[in-house]
Amino acid sequence: MLAKGSCPKTMLSIRDALEALEGKWKLLILFSLSNGPKRFKQISKDVGSITDKTLSKELKSLETNKLIKREVYDTFPPTVEYSITPHGLSLEKVLDELHYWGLSHRKKVIGK
């Protein structure tokens, strides 16, 4: 059930959440990483139609918000791998519910 009223603390917490997850890419990136650590190009392929510049920006934002971790391995050339943090995994229920809502929404609006 949605919180009733416009409690300032509720509005602030929702604003914080929206800021951390804003845009159309962040939740898709988190979903990609929910199956395990991946390299940049693997994430790009999973998400699809995202530019390298945008993916880089979104990964940095997710890292700043402690939702993902970037790990650089001492190889030549250096290997960089991204993984979801426990804090990022706490969004699992949100992603599941968004998935089911999206299926229902698509059926209602598009009829498929």
Side-chain angles (χ1 to χ4, degrees), residues 16-74:
D16 289 346
L18 289 174
E19 186 176 308
L21 300 170
E22 71 182 330
K24 66 180 185 178
W25 303 112
K26 289 184 181 82
L27 289 173
L28 294 171
I29 293 166
L30 289 170
F31 184 74
S32 170
L33 292 173
S34 67
N35 293 323
K38 293 188 177 162
R39 295 175 70 177
F40 188 92
K41 287 295 181 188
Q42 292 171 302
I43 299 167
S44 180
K45 184 178 175 184
D46 281 354
V47 172
S49 70
I50 186 172
T51 65
D52 286 353
K53 180 179 177 181
T54 300
L55 179 55
S56 180
K57 181 179 103 30
E58 298 290 28
L59 288 168
K60 285 176 186 170
S61 175
L62 288 166
E63 188 178 9
T64 298
N65 282 291
K66 303 191 184 314
L67 297 170
I68 66 168
K69 179 176 79 172
R70 179 179 185 267
E71 194 157 356
V72 181
Y73 294 96
D74 190 18

Side-chain angles (χ1 to χ4, degrees), residues 1 8 24 66 73 75 81 95 99 101 112:
M1 177 180 241
K24 66 180 185 178
K66 303 191 184 314
Y73 294 96
T75 58
E81 200 171 66
L95 289 172
H99 164 70
W101 185 86
K112 295 183 182 179

